[in-house]
Amino acid sequence: MAVTPFKINIPASELDLLHRKLDLARIPTNLANEEWSENNGVTLKLLGDTIDFWRKSYDWRNEEALLNKLPQYKCPIDVEGFGTLHLHFVHSESSANLPIPLLFLHGWPGSFPEVQKVLPSLNEAGFHVVAPSHAGYGFSSCPEKAGFKLEQDAELMHKLMLKLGYHSYVVQGGDWGSHITRKMALRYPEAIKAAHVNLITMPKPEFEKEPSYTAFETRSIKQLEYFGTKEFAYFQIQSSKPRTLGFALHDSPVGMLAWMADKLFTWSDSYPWSPTELITWTLLHYFPGPTTGFHMYRENTPEYVLYGEDGSKFVEVPTGVSAFGRELEMVPRSWAEKIYNIVFWEEHERGGHFAAYEKPKEVADDLDRFFHSVWKV
């Protein structure tokens, strides 16, 4: 079946129901001065002010129109053992001569608009950009069978690129996208000419002699330890109880907002999230329902990701890394070189987990320099 153009069009009945829920939202009144609050910025005032803005000023149709300026498509793709999935993606082509096909893979709690700010610069730099919604995210369908792991995500994305006529291409990934990028580089090295990530998480490797670490790398190690001990509860609940948590968030836009805002505030580098951005990012999980996006956590446990079949395999594909100073999952270069063929490494003092959205210029510049340095026509 053919690739078909796609436009977002949330039914008016869904928007009406959303506003009724907002009008009936039940907000705590006894938490204003609690001493045990989380240090995440999701205060009673923040939540109340955002809900008030949502009720009175926020305009989904305007946001929908902005998103629909991105050239979006859907197509069916068969995944071995899982039947046909209908994949949603952005496909924005460059007018440059001899453009490089670039697969851009988002993570959670992001979605396909993570590419929104960086897209014009990438097109101008000579990249045909393909930015899919992962299986179960946004406007892509969700696997109906258990067992859909990173290998299947990799197969799905590779088949999308082949369907678009890209038999050689490069890949950029953050968050879950970085793990899928790694799987793709291991499985399809004949097609993937280079891989770039802005997140690496791995156990500390063994060294004959302990490496010396820069101040940047020392901070990265501490942040990784902090993330694993203080910020990992979300992963545990989304992997162990995805359906149970999903029931609660599926029915409550305010609950979904609070869950999202916690991650957006905590994982970014003091990015000034506007109420409109908070709400739009929330709705891109709320409208389709968050449970299907949680399936990645159920299927891909930390033990499987870090110690599974491919955990310690070496990626031969030329790999580039953009390390941002406030990314909670980044390791020193000496660690990364144990499992990746690192040929490009750029450190940025500022910037967090949502690198392409927080620091689009830096990400675009890094991708431009790295991919053009290794691409062979």
Side-chain angles (χ1 to χ4, degrees):
M1 293 177 65
V3 173
T4 57
F6 176 81
K7 294 287 187 184
I8 305 169
N9 184 20
I10 301 300
S13 58
E14 185 73 19
L15 296 178
D16 290 342
L17 177 61
L18 170 65
H19 280 281
R20 291 202 301 273
K21 286 179 176 290
L22 291 173
D23 288 339
L24 295 172
R26 181 170 173 258
I27 309 300
T29 58
N30 60 339
L31 301 180
N33 298 305
E34 80 279 16
E35 295 180 356
W36 43 262
S37 63
E38 303 118 277
N39 186 26
N40 62 357
V42 188
T43 62
L44 187 63
K45 183 178 189 314
L46 180 282
L47 202 62
D49 288 349
T50 306
I51 295 168
D52 190 57
F53 175 85
W54 199 345
R55 288 168 174 157
K56 298 175 182 178
S57 303
Y58 178 79
D59 185 350
W60 165 256
R61 290 302 184 202
N62 182 64
E63 292 297 295
E64 189 177 68
L66 291 173
L67 291 172
N68 280 334
K69 289 183 178 180
L70 299 172
Q72 298 169 68
Y73 303 87
K74 291 188 81 170
C75 72
I77 296 179
D78 293 333
V79 177
E80 185 176 355
F82 291 87
T84 301
L85 294 180
H86 295 272
L87 196 64
H88 164 260
F89 59 97
V90 171
H91 185 196
S92 183
E93 298 183 84
S94 173
S95 60
N97 293 326
L98 302 176
I100 299 175
L102 166 59
L103 177 64
F104 181 99
L105 299 177
H106 69 80
W108 187 93
S111 54
F112 76 93
E114 283 190 51
V115 79
Q116 200 169 13
K117 291 183 179 182
V118 78
L119 187 58
S121 296
L122 292 177
N123 284 156
E124 186 177 345
F127 294 98
H128 286 342
V129 180
V130 180
S133 296
H134 294 308
Y137 283 70
F139 306 100
S140 290
S141 61
C142 186
E144 296 182 355
K145 292 171 56 179
F148 196 97
K149 297 184 179 294
L150 292 175
E151 287 86 351
Q152 284 70 41
D153 285 299
E155 177 187 345
L156 180 64
M157 297 305 161
H158 179 58
K159 286 182 174 178
L160 170 63
M161 295 302 279
L162 296 181
K163 193 158 195 170
L164 295 176
Y166 300 137
H167 294 269
S168 296
Y169 57 94
V170 298
V171 188
Q172 146 64 25
D175 192 79
W176 280 119
S178 71
H179 297 298
I180 298 170
T181 296
R182 176 174 168 80
K183 289 288 185 184
M184 295 182 74
L186 288 169
R187 280 164 169 67
Y188 310 109
E190 73 287 348
I192 297 172
K193 301 308 178 186
H196 184 278
V197 295
N198 54 273
L199 179 150
I200 298 178
T201 185
M202 59 184 288
K204 182 181 178 181
E206 294 184 2
F207 294 98
E208 290 186 7
K209 181 181 179 182
E210 183 71 13
S212 59
Y213 300 120
T214 65
F216 187 100
E217 291 176 323
T218 299
R219 185 176 64 198
S220 293
I221 294 172
K222 291 180 178 178
Q223 289 178 166
L224 185 63
E225 292 173 350
Y226 175 84
F227 180 76
T229 56
K230 302 296 184 181
E231 287 292 330
F232 207 63
Y234 85 97
F235 196 114
Q236 294 171 323
I237 190 170
Q238 289 183 183
S239 62
S240 64
K241 304 290 183 182
R243 187 174 58 186
T244 303
L245 176 64
F247 284 149
L249 300 185
H250 189 98
D251 190 56
S252 173
V254 171
M256 190 76 237
L257 170 66
W259 194 247
M260 291 287 291
D262 170 72
K263 313 303 178 290
L264 297 181
F265 288 149
T266 304
W267 296 354
S268 60
D269 184 12
S270 302
Y271 178 81
W273 295 98
S274 70
T276 293
E277 288 173 312
L278 291 176
I279 295 165
T280 298
W281 278 51
T282 294
L283 287 175
L284 287 170
H285 288 273
Y286 174 79
F287 282 140
T291 309
T292 52
F294 292 164
H295 87 274
M296 273 189 173
Y297 294 85
R298 181 71 165 182
E299 298 289 359
N300 302 291
T301 64
E303 293 74 21
Y304 166 77
V305 173
L306 299 178
Y307 304 104
E309 177 186 352
D310 294 337
S312 60
K313 284 185 178 179
F314 188 80
V315 172
E316 299 284 353
V317 169
T319 302
V321 177
S322 293
F324 286 85
R326 298 301 173 183
E327 168 56 68
L328 293 174
E329 292 186 90
M330 182 52 66
V331 299
R333 179 169 182 164
S334 57
W335 295 20
E337 287 176 336
K338 292 286 188 177
I339 59 172
Y340 287 99
N341 176 20
I342 304 291
V343 299
F344 175 94
W345 185 281
E346 188 69 38
E347 293 176 354
H348 301 274
E349 187 63 27
R350 302 308 303 265
H353 187 70
F354 310 99
Y357 198 81
E358 294 179 60
K359 298 292 182 182
K361 182 182 184 303
E362 289 83 347
V363 170
D365 288 348
D366 286 358
L367 296 180
D368 185 11
R369 286 190 294 131
F370 168 57
F371 285 138
H372 277 102
S373 72
V374 297
W375 180 259
K376 304 291 189 295
V377 179

